[in-house]
Amino acid sequence: MRHGATAWPPELAELYRTEGYWRGLPLGLLPEQWAARYGDRTALVDGTTRITYRELATRVESAATNLTVLGLEPGDNLLVQLPNCHQLVLLVLACARIGVAPVLLLPAHRERELVALGRHTGAVALATTATTRGYDHAAQARRVAEQVPSIRRLLIAGCEEEAGTETDLDALLDSPPVLPAALPDPDPSDVALFLLSGGTTGTPKVIARTHNDYEYNFRGSAAVCGFDTGTVYLAALPAAHNFVLGSPGVLGTLASGGQAVFVASPSPTAVFDAIKTHGVTHLAAVPAVLRRWMESAERTSIDLPSLRVVQVGGERLEPETVRRAAQVLDCRIQQVFGMAEGLLNYTRPDDSRWAAEETQGRPMSPHDEIRVIDANGEETAAGEPGELLTRGPYTPRGYFRAPEHNRTAFTADGWFRTGDVVRRDAAGNLVVVGRIKDVINRGGEKIAADEIEHLLAELPEIADAAVVPYPDPDLGERVGAFVVLREGRTLSTGEAVQRLTASGIAAYKLPEQLWVVDTLPQTAVGKTDKQALRRLVADRAADRAADPQYQH
Ligand code: AMP
Ligand code: DBH
């Protein structure tokens, strides 16, 4: 196990093995098994590229060899920032074949986040594209490498020429091995990949997922969701995200012998085209994206006969939208309440109408343990809201290299405090009713308030800052900031946004409203009273909603 990852207690590890959840197989050896079962069926579709199961196995093995020849070794970590494409799958599996763990960044992340994650994980290389959507990722990669001494190599897809420490990622993944190399046998209880949590504090929250636990994450999910060789899964949201990668996602599709199709953007046009062209049966959305699809589907009266299930998660979906979406898209809407930290909840095909519409489902595994507790740490009465705590075969016992934070994020006996407030019914279905973590959920993208507060406080104009969500009909919440300015200074929202952008953070984290105030309200112990600020923002929004001037 890599230093800084937390193992499960040995007796539970033993139980998870004997129960068959943990199969003791490195993820990188799965393509061989899949190839033996599914042979010449199509595994991946990306534009004009089609890869069969047999080809996938061969190419993962070649890519693993090329990575080894390049000097990557078991125990190394690698930053990966790629858009939705087949190369992402090849790279993740090839790394897993040789015990190298990819840190899966989203395409929206920027220099500051890459540097922080590179340092935190001691990454030895960075894999990315030359450009995506007009952004020069190659130039960013070079700036990142300068600031992260452990990074020795840049693997750049579509790079113009190979030079010095820069290698063409496409060639590495697409070419037969340049030299032979003996491949190591990775330890299946070691880290297979790193996922990122949007939650909690400013230091990067990196989640080390082992081969054993992640394989169960997507295999168990695929079983619950009924994936099989007839499944055609469309990756429309970022495939580096746990929802699309493994819930059951692309990997769950491959484990079931289905086809995983990639599109670069979740725009209704791209998605509907792909559904029609490839006969897509399943795909995942966050509520804001689902609403865009519904709006477009209604306007164009589109018919999508192949579509069976749209999974929706990342943020609470209101029951009314579940009903309407099922009608408009003529398919089942499955609610998914998941987290990169582990626990996945799904509504099931045979659920009552009430459970399917009003709840966010129940845990994937019979061995997921759930507690709902009050402020004193006592279990709440049945049906009463409380904080959700969880343990289980695919919920790691700590964030990676974060001992300080782990002391509060986990209980002494290993329960993960999700920070979500839920109610649980007698059948075990969970309803998400709120949250106690200081996070903004912007259309499914999580932003840690204190990360943005620290960035704002670094600006010379700002004396103090408090970041809170404000309600939004489209995204659910957006990022708002209350700021106290230093004597004689001014700062507009536009200027603040410009400065934060220049500091190199992902655009989705930028405050969209800046409210200048004389002081921030304080609690009795002298901390900023975020509750009061949240109420203030909610009241203003309610006033606006009631004001005829704002109604249309
Ligand atoms: P992360 O830790 O960044 O993977 O984000 C996971 C968090 O997203 C959960 O702890 C919830 O707060 C939120 N979340 C995910 N799915 C849902 C859902 N279906 N309904 C409500 N909240 C959700
Ligand atoms: O919000 C999430 O992080 C999420 C939602 C649905 C997730 O990680 C998942 C499913 O796996």
Side-chain angles (χ1 to χ4, degrees), residues 197-198 313-316 336-341 420 432 437 446:
S197 164
E315 195 198 350
R316 175 76 198 271
V336 186
F337 163 37
M339 53 200 77
E341 286 83 354
D420 292 312
V432 182
K437 51 192 169 188
K446 319 305 181 304

Side-chain angles (χ1 to χ4, degrees), residues 438 440 448-450 452-453 456 465-469 479-482 511 530 534:
D438 198 3
I440 293 116
D450 74 345
I452 308 308
E453 285 161 3
L456 285 169
V467 167
V468 292
V479 182
F482 286 91
K530 298 288 259 316
R534 276 190 216 112

Side-chain angles (χ1 to χ4, degrees), residues 412-424:
D413 41 8
W415 294 86
F416 171 56
R417 299 182 202 270
T418 64
D420 292 312
V421 178
V422 303
R423 278 190 281 111
R424 181 168 47 158

